[in-house]
Amino acid sequence: MHLGALGVFSAHSPTAGAHAADLLAARAAAVPGLRMRIRDVWQPLGFGGAARETDPDFDPLNHVRLHAPTSDFQAVAGRLMERPLERDRPPWEAHVLPGEDGVSFAVLFKFHHALADGLRALKLAAGVMDPLDLPVRAPRSIEPPRPMLALPDVRRLPELVRGALSDVGRALDIGASVALSALGVSSSAALTSEPTGTRSVAGVDLDIDDVHRVRKAVGGTVNDVLIAVVAGALRRWLVERGDGTEGVAPRALIPVSKRRPRTVAPQGNRLSGYLIRLPVDNPDPIARLDRVRTAMVRNKDAGPNRGAGAVALLADHVPALGHRLGGPLVGQAARLWFDILVTSVPLPGVGLRLGGHPLTAVYPLAPLAPGQSLAVAISTYRNRVHYGLVADASAVPDLDVLARAVTDEVDSLIAVCDP
């Protein structure tokens, strides 16, 4: 359950990668979130909880690693994404990959989801980049914390009861949605497999102007277009593999961040999700986009607290021991809940640098749940859209074919919208 990002930088010299590794190690010590580790704790009802704490023996040299020069950043990143993160120290790594060409290098950041979700991981990674010259915000006044009572105020009991009943209703609603989502339409066997622990990574670059051309011609949002491109690329990929697409409409989990800007407690995860059917079975690219747009509107109308995609929210209402005992079962059952993860990670609009070297591309890498073959993450940076594809290398040996299909699908949409 580690996520990551592969950033590619333009280099001024062949030693730029080594210099970047030194900078990352030096700066990591000053980012509090990177010093946090996960430890087991005891709860009133027994063992099962976990908490974040500062690692007193934190050494950034245990987390930042310089590798040999390579001509294929994505191939190396795939092998590095196979390795689990160590539990006894802060669960993150930064791998610096110098380019054999001497004019580029890449950095693979890895974070365990227990430490941070995508937005939080982005903030942690930004902490080791070159400082940005941004205007300083005026400090906000903070109200002093209210004293906490040892026992609940009896006057709030009706409110607490209503809240508990509401939680039960929400759980039943989400549970029913999960059950219904498994009915009706089939998925492709290519998207599920027995986990092998192997990984392959591929990246695709698109021009954001092409995406806007499609959006303006057909309607909807940029995110609708980007999700529809995934549906079309999956169709092309399955056809090229010789697999059937008739009746195939895999369930895509679309994570939704519930993290508010400048939140008081930014650590950990603040995620819900939408669940939609990707219309892989539809041969018309415009019809596929229309179905994606309709499904997303339906999810947005219901809100991120309802529907099968909101299962993650139920974790807030489960005791720690339940997490410990039920977590492995839920993880193994991911294939029964959704078939593919399609997530979007926003990036800052300003240009990022490391040691003065500009970041030219960044491919987000989503976690791959047990039993699933493919996950897709999307980011927009400096007028380019970057798709990061992560796959079980044994189940998907032809990930390059799917990557090429993403570009072909965009070209097809542009041809239809702007003949």
Side-chain angles (χ1 to χ4, degrees):
M1 285 304 294
H2 50 267
L3 59 149
L6 179 66
V8 180
F9 296 81
S10 175
H12 300 156
S13 71
T15 61
H19 177 55
D22 291 339
L23 279 177
L24 290 173
R27 293 173 177 175
V31 180
L34 296 179
R35 305 174 68 96
M36 305 299 289
R37 67 181 180 184
I38 311 299
R39 69 176 179 89
D40 296 325
V41 297
W42 288 89
Q43 299 287 339
L45 296 181
F47 180 74
R52 298 176 186 85
E53 67 174 7
T54 300
D55 182 359
D57 301 318
F58 175 73
D59 184 353
L61 295 180
N62 291 330
H63 302 265
V64 179
R65 294 155 194 178
L66 178 64
H67 294 258
T70 178
S71 60
D72 192 338
F73 297 139
Q74 295 175 7
V76 177
R79 293 193 293 270
L80 293 173
M81 287 295 287
E82 294 178 0
R83 304 178 186 176
L85 290 162
E86 296 186 30
R87 176 71 184 271
D88 60 347
R89 60 191 184 196
W92 68 273
E93 294 173 353
H95 297 270
V96 181
L97 315 175
E100 285 185 350
D101 55 13
V103 296
S104 66
F105 67 90
V107 178
L108 172 66
F109 287 102
K110 287 172 57 180
F111 294 90
H112 197 284
H113 232 306
L115 181 68
D117 57 27
L119 289 177
R120 175 64 176 163
L122 172 63
K123 184 174 181 180
L124 292 174
V128 295
M129 306 293 281
D130 292 355
L132 298 175
D133 296 326
L134 299 176
V136 179
R137 296 181 182 271
R140 295 184 300 162
S141 60
I142 301 178
E143 296 182 2
R146 297 180 179 178
M148 298 186 65
L149 300 177
L151 296 174
D153 187 344
V154 294
R155 293 171 297 181
R156 296 189 60 237
L157 286 179
E159 177 186 344
L160 295 174
V161 171
R162 286 196 299 270
L165 293 176
S166 176
D167 287 343
V168 171
R170 178 185 300 179
L172 293 174
D173 181 36
I174 293 173
S177 297
V178 171
L180 290 173
S181 72
L183 302 177
V185 187
S186 65
S187 178
S188 171
L191 297 178
T192 58
S193 65
E194 290 303 317
T196 66
T198 60
R199 292 290 182 272
S200 58
V201 167
V204 185
D205 294 279
L206 304 177
D207 191 328
I208 190 62
D209 290 339
D210 290 339
V211 178
H212 281 299
R213 285 167 63 187
V214 175
R215 178 189 62 80
K216 291 177 181 178
V218 181
T221 68
V222 166
N223 201 42
D224 294 340
V225 177
L226 298 178
I227 295 172
V229 166
V230 174
L234 289 175
R235 178 181 175 84
R236 293 171 180 273
W237 175 60
L238 292 174
V239 169
E240 186 158 344
R241 287 167 61 106
D243 296 340
T245 60
E246 183 177 356
V248 173
R251 297 160 298 172
L253 178 64
I254 315 292
V256 177
S257 176
K258 293 176 66 65
R259 186 182 300 280
R260 296 180 178 179
R262 298 183 297 278
T263 179
V264 177
Q267 293 184 2
N269 295 270
R270 300 289 188 275
L271 290 175
S272 179
Y274 297 148
L275 198 67
I276 72 170
R277 291 280 188 178
L278 294 181
V280 173
D281 55 341
N282 196 312
D284 184 347
I286 301 301
R288 286 196 295 267
L289 176 53
D290 185 63
R291 284 173 59 178
V292 167
R293 182 178 58 213
T294 300
M296 289 298 289
V297 168
R298 186 183 308 116
N299 274 282
K300 292 173 184 176
D301 288 344
N305 296 327
R306 294 285 181 181
V311 164
L313 296 180
L314 297 183
D316 295 335
H317 308 286
V318 177
L321 186 59
H323 284 215
R324 180 72 59 174
L325 298 176
L329 297 176
V330 173
Q332 294 299 324
R335 71 177 76 182
L336 302 177
W337 174 25
F338 62 96
D339 304 301
I340 183 173
L341 178 71
V342 182
T343 183
S344 179
V345 181
L347 294 176
V350 296
L352 299 175
R353 294 176 177 270
L354 179 58
H357 304 286
L359 177 67
T360 58
V362 56
Y363 304 99
L365 305 175
L368 194 60
Q372 295 182 331
S373 303
L374 180 68
V376 181
I378 312 167
S379 283
T380 301
Y381 175 72
R382 306 289 283 177
N383 298 319
R384 302 291 296 178
V385 177
H386 299 97
Y387 280 79
L389 311 178
V390 178
D392 185 297
S394 297
V396 186
D398 55 347
L399 190 62
D400 59 319
V401 176
L402 178 58
R404 187 171 64 250
V406 171
T407 302
D408 293 342
E409 180 65 13
V410 174
D411 292 341
S412 175
L413 281 167
I414 292 174
V416 173
C417 296
D418 189 17

